[in-house]
Amino acid sequence: MGEVERALLAKHSPVPDGGGRALDVGCGTGELAVTLASMGYTVEAVDYAEEALMRARSDHAEVSAVRWRCLDIERDPLPEDSGDEEPGFDLITLRLSIAFMSNRTAVLRSLSAQMRPGGAIVVITPLAKTTPAERRNIALDEEEFDLVAEGFEDVSRFDAEGLAVLVLRAPDGEALVVERGRPTPQAVFGASAVVTDAQGRVLLGRSTQGMWELPAGGVESGESAQAAAVRELAEETGLTAKVADAHVVTVLHDDREDVRRVAAVVRITAWDGELALRDADKFVRWEWFPLHTLNGLGKLFAPSALALNEVWPGVVPRAPEARSYPCASPYEPVAGEPAEAVRLREQMAGNVIRGGWAPSPRVQAALRAVPRHRFLPEAPLASAYDDDIAVATVRDEGGAVVSSVSAPWLQADMAEQLRLEPGMQVLEVGSGGYNAELLANIVGDRGRVVTVDLDPFVVRRAQRLCAEAGSGRVTAVLGDGSRGAPGHVPPGGFDAVIITHTTTDLAPAWREQLAKGGRLVVPLDVGGYTRAITLVRRGDVLHAEHWTFCGFVGDRGAAARTVPTAVLAGGEVTVRWELGTEGNTTGLEGALSGERYELSTGLVVAGQFNFETLQLFAATTLAGFCRLSVPLGSELVTQQDAAAIVTDGSLAYLTHVKIADGPDTADWRAEFFIHAYGVAGPALAKRFAACVRTWDREVRESWYPPLSIHPAGTPDDQLPPGDLVDTPACRAVFDWPGRGSRAHLRAPAHSPAGSAASAIERSSGQP
């Protein structure tokens, strides 16, 4: 390394205060990595050549700030962060290496995702114009420099004694969908070839017009769209395919100026040959891209963006609109996934199994077999296989999540509660693709899963992703899930029904289309608190057998309910009647301006303490129950989301106060209080406090109560004893301890809420 290079690095990538972390890609024998260490960086130095790394380890054995790693940056995952490090890098360097990367744009996109805020990627490379022709492969020309810099908002270029130094900052995370000029009239009917490799990466070419494109071209006279796609693939990339392996997914129609543009999207499921640049007049290079990197790719030709979204709906957000005419001809699922996906899937399955959520061999096998990442093409592998998070897939215009793929632990738990056997038939309400395929894997070759959703995009996405990576045993249907799946109900009904959105009521169709003795798992909202409840059908009555604390997106169908609300105190307090019946707020404005009454319940709890049944107990047993929402730091209501009761122009709500602290959560102590306003506040506080003490004495150790759900219209004298909650479609009877006569369900030993809920650290009081 020359002194100019060293000076440029010191000036434009100084070590952050407190030290920094650097990644040296293509480190060779280690000179740059050692230089970075001398500047104060902790360095990950990677190279695919073990011989070079052996030399580096030997020559620089005394440098402890460098860790030498053997990996191929184009194929292998980066080393995982150690637990004491913030993820990512302050500096990423590629010195004399980028010219040798066949997928350099994809590599840079992946590396940019590893940059810490304010970080930089520094590329050092020879220039083609000053490099002998016989050594052209080690250098970049000006067009290649522009491509390296594309996608970064802050780009600086310097000269270091004949070497070009690019400093790249502020990666732009959005794809820019662009157009070319007006198509020639004879080329308005074309075909795009969608091809993936053994790692599931899609092939795109960088055109001479400065954008990324699929292999594509016009359909010639007498030629089919499939044949045209195969021909264009060969002519442009050197890859060969059989027409029998080319399948029309859809035909797209959009308007480009005064030309009606029609294009067939052709999915090629098998190919042969070596990738080559065959048409230098149209393309400057070809690369394989992981699907989740497409959104940050830079300029993407509009028809190619449309075609990619037809195969993997949503993989390119904000693509232009076009009319799509899907083709019904099926094809076999397309293989291909990186080794890292296999490793992460096994890791995810292991975490879920160790958490106690998947005790049965069938569910365990399904977690290990179904490629979750292929149903989340827009998500990085690490996100797709995180066992504890849900991944949003569709948002409304305001940004709210309206469809998602739930956390694996919850999907496993709900699948377990269905008690599926080979050959069973299952109804899923709320589509996404992955959960349906998980169930299809469990029920096996003779089984069947029908999944219903009211969103055409969600249904099309499920259909396409299941076609790409599914079993062929999932049928995605467009319709309002509150009607079940009319026309698809097997004789005798479905063996199991699973609802994957929060609902405040049970649609009659779910019970009617469920076989006698069948199991329904539904995330039921009671008073604003959601639990995934397992219900078994006995006659026309559903009986609860299992409860799981959870959260889901809301219902958007005909049964969706608007929660009555009242805004008080100039907008500082919002009252929500989650059970559906609005209370009387007369006098509350004046009450909130008065003095607050406080009453201890006498209940003191430790930090690790589960009270997830307390709110549900209050919601179903206290007259006038509601919930309060306030902004953070409110002085009127100390709980941001509080269980409350409102009556007689007064209110009372539940909160807790930390009374003891300590280095460990187990050392914490909190005391439950009731705060009240209004003339009737003291009486309401006493009633609420008595509810808390009853829960502590009778319910806390008994866990959830027996619950029976009866059709609406069932006469009172035909209902069992208990606390009644009426909804438009059903009558739910909760048999809480001390208020009924039956045995009660115990808490499952592996409940995460039971092991991790903290009354003190969770201001909402929810585990």
Side-chain angles (χ1 to χ4, degrees):
M1 289 184 63
E3 289 303 318
V4 176
E5 283 183 82
R6 298 176 189 272
L8 286 171
L9 282 170
K11 180 178 180 180
H12 296 285
S13 54
V15 181
D17 294 340
R21 189 165 180 247
L23 172 67
D24 184 19
V25 177
C27 65
T29 55
E31 184 180 8
L32 175 55
V34 172
T35 298
L36 297 177
S38 69
M39 293 168 59
Y41 283 104
T42 298
V43 185
E44 298 282 353
V46 302
D47 201 292
Y48 73 92
E50 181 60 45
E51 295 84 354
L53 292 170
M54 291 174 61
R55 167 101 174 262
R57 294 186 185 101
S58 174
D59 291 352
H60 308 293
E62 75 285 355
V63 182
S64 60
V66 180
R67 290 184 287 195
W68 311 98
R69 310 273 189 166
C70 185
L71 61 84
D72 182 346
I73 195 66
E74 295 193 66
R75 295 179 179 274
D76 301 331
L78 290 172
E80 294 185 359
D81 303 314
S82 62
D84 57 348
E85 294 173 332
E86 179 189 348
F89 299 94
D90 301 288
L91 174 63
I92 300 173
T93 57
L94 299 92
R95 184 177 188 272
L96 310 184
S97 61
I98 196 166
F100 300 99
M101 296 179 185
S102 57
N103 298 296
R104 65 180 69 126
T105 310
V107 168
L108 285 171
R109 295 298 173 270
S110 296
L111 291 177
S112 68
Q114 302 293 323
M115 294 168 60
R116 291 175 177 173
I121 296 177
V122 176
V123 177
I124 304 174
T125 183
L127 293 85
K129 65 182 180 181
T130 58
T131 300
E134 64 272 15
R135 303 190 65 201
R136 170 66 178 84
N137 67 310
I138 73 169
L140 301 187
D141 62 21
E142 292 303 319
E143 288 187 357
E144 290 171 316
F145 277 118
D146 291 342
L147 180 54
V148 167
E150 188 174 272
F152 294 88
E153 296 180 3
D154 185 350
V155 179
S156 302
R157 179 171 168 178
F158 308 96
D159 176 75
E161 300 172 305
L163 293 175
V165 178
L166 284 179
V167 181
L168 312 173
R169 300 181 187 275
D172 186 351
E174 291 191 359
L176 179 62
V177 179
V178 294
E179 282 284 6
R180 293 197 300 238
R182 177 181 181 274
T184 57
Q186 67 269 25
V188 294
F189 182 37
S192 298
V194 181
V195 181
T196 49
D197 67 358
Q199 297 188 56
R201 302 177 301 180
V202 67
L203 180 63
L204 294 173
R206 182 70 174 190
S207 74
T208 53
Q209 298 190 41
M211 62 189 78
W212 292 100
E213 303 183 29
L214 291 166
V219 177
E220 297 179 352
S221 299
E223 189 177 42
S224 70
Q226 296 95 320
V230 168
R231 175 180 52 76
E232 291 289 346
L233 180 68
E235 291 176 356
E236 294 175 353
T237 73
L239 303 182
T240 60
K242 299 175 182 178
V243 174
D245 293 322
H247 309 272
V248 177
V249 172
T250 191
V251 175
L252 294 172
H253 160 220
D254 68 332
D255 300 335
R256 178 60 179 152
E257 296 183 2
D258 61 337
V259 175
R260 308 287 83 78
R261 186 165 54 187
V262 179
V265 179
V266 180
R267 184 67 165 106
I268 296 178
T269 57
W271 51 268
D272 201 358
E274 294 292 331
L275 189 61
L277 186 62
R278 290 293 181 86
D279 195 346
D281 291 335
K282 290 176 59 179
F283 294 95
V284 297
R285 65 185 295 105
W286 291 96
E287 294 193 26
W288 298 99
F289 288 90
L291 298 179
H292 74 270
T293 67
L294 297 181
N295 187 36
L297 192 56
K299 295 179 179 179
L300 184 60
F301 185 37
S304 295
L306 290 168
L308 290 165
N309 267 350
E310 289 300 320
V311 180
W312 301 285
V315 76
V316 181
R318 295 169 298 281
E321 293 185 1
R323 296 184 183 275
S324 177
Y325 307 93
C327 298
S329 56
Y331 56 86
E332 291 296 316
V334 186
E337 64 174 347
E340 179 68 355
V342 179
R343 185 187 73 82
L344 289 173
R345 186 159 60 250
E346 180 61 33
Q347 176 179 293
M348 176 201 76
N351 290 343
V352 172
I353 293 166
R354 283 189 293 274
W357 300 111
S360 72
R362 288 194 186 95
V363 176
Q364 293 177 7
L367 289 170
R368 292 187 168 107
V370 180
R372 181 178 167 92
H373 71 286
R374 300 193 65 182
F375 296 88
L376 290 164
E378 63 275 84
L381 290 177
S383 298
Y385 286 108
D386 190 314
D387 59 278
D388 199 36
I389 64 170
V391 181
T393 54
V394 183
R395 297 178 183 270
D396 63 17
E397 294 180 355
V401 177
V402 295
S403 186
S404 66
V405 176
S406 299
W409 71 264
L410 181 54
Q411 291 175 307
D413 178 67
M414 294 174 77
E416 287 282 2
Q417 300 313 316
L418 293 175
R419 296 187 185 174
L420 299 176
E421 299 287 342
M424 282 187 170
Q425 301 197 55
V426 184
L427 170 63
E428 178 192 47
V429 176
S431 295
Y434 173 73
N435 192 62
E437 282 296 342
L438 198 71
L439 301 175
N441 185 280
I442 298 169
V443 299
D445 294 340
R446 296 182 291 107
R448 175 172 170 249
V449 177
V450 177
T451 179
V452 182
D453 203 285
L454 54 70
D455 189 329
F457 174 80
V458 172
V459 173
R460 179 165 63 89
R461 177 182 168 100
Q463 290 170 336
R464 289 297 321 132
L465 298 181
C466 287
E468 282 286 309
S471 62
R473 298 190 295 274
V474 173
T475 301
V477 178
L478 179 64
D480 189 331
S482 65
R483 297 180 61 238
H488 297 270
V489 184
F494 289 100
D495 299 293
V497 176
I498 181 171
I499 315 301
T500 61
H501 61 74
T502 297
T503 181
T504 57
D505 205 350
L506 295 188
W510 300 343
R511 181 188 69 252
E512 294 162 1
Q513 296 177 18
L514 181 65
K516 298 293 179 64
R519 301 172 75 83
L520 164 65
V521 177
V522 54
L524 187 62
D525 179 313
V526 180
Y529 305 103
T530 302
R531 307 291 186 266
I533 306 177
T534 303
L535 301 164
V536 179
R537 180 179 179 184
R538 299 173 192 151
D540 285 336
V541 180
L542 299 169
H543 296 269
E545 284 197 357
H546 182 85
W547 306 64
T548 298
F549 189 97
C550 65
F552 278 85
V553 297
D555 186 2
R556 294 191 290 159
R561 186 184 70 194
T562 300
V563 176
T565 61
V567 180
L568 307 172
E572 186 173 347
V573 179
T574 299
V575 186
R576 311 193 315 274
W577 284 273
E578 302 278 1
L579 289 170
T581 302
E582 184 172 3
N584 186 357
T585 59
T586 303
L588 276 184
E589 284 282 1
L592 288 170
S593 65
E595 184 178 353
R596 184 171 73 197
Y597 176 78
E598 299 183 2
L599 175 67
S600 173
T601 66
L603 176 59
V604 176
V605 300
Q608 294 292 338
F609 176 79
N610 186 303
F611 54 95
E612 70 179 71
T613 56
L614 174 55
Q615 301 99 327
L616 202 62
F617 181 67
T620 55
T621 62
L622 284 175
F625 182 85
C626 57
R627 292 175 71 174
L628 307 181
S629 297
V630 298
L632 182 64
S634 170
E635 296 184 358
L636 277 177
V637 177
T638 59
Q639 197 82 358
Q640 275 188 279
D641 186 355
I645 48 176
V646 169
T647 187
D648 299 329
S650 304
L651 70 80
Y653 70 88
L654 176 67
T655 187
H656 50 72
V657 177
K658 185 184 287 189
I659 60 174
D661 210 338
D664 297 321
T665 307
D667 298 325
W668 301 352
R669 295 292 182 273
E671 184 174 0
F672 280 91
F673 274 80
I674 309 298
H675 291 177
Y677 290 95
V679 175
L684 292 183
K686 290 179 182 178
R687 182 149 62 91
F688 210 144
C691 172
V692 172
R693 287 191 289 269
T694 299
W695 170 83
D696 183 47
R697 182 179 63 253
E698 303 285 351
V699 179
R700 175 177 162 186
E701 297 300 327
S702 300
W703 204 238
Y704 286 102
L707 164 66
S708 58
I709 299 181
H710 307 255
T714 302
D716 288 352
D717 61 4
Q718 295 181 21
L719 296 175
D723 292 283
L724 177 64
V725 174
D726 276 319
T727 62
C730 62
R731 313 194 76 186
V733 180
F734 294 80
D735 185 12
W736 292 104
R739 303 170 68 88
S741 59
R742 284 172 288 176
H744 297 81
L745 303 178
R746 303 290 297 181
H750 63 265
S751 169
S755 61
S758 169
I760 300 172
E761 65 177 340
R762 297 181 183 270
S763 62
S764 68
Q766 296 184 46

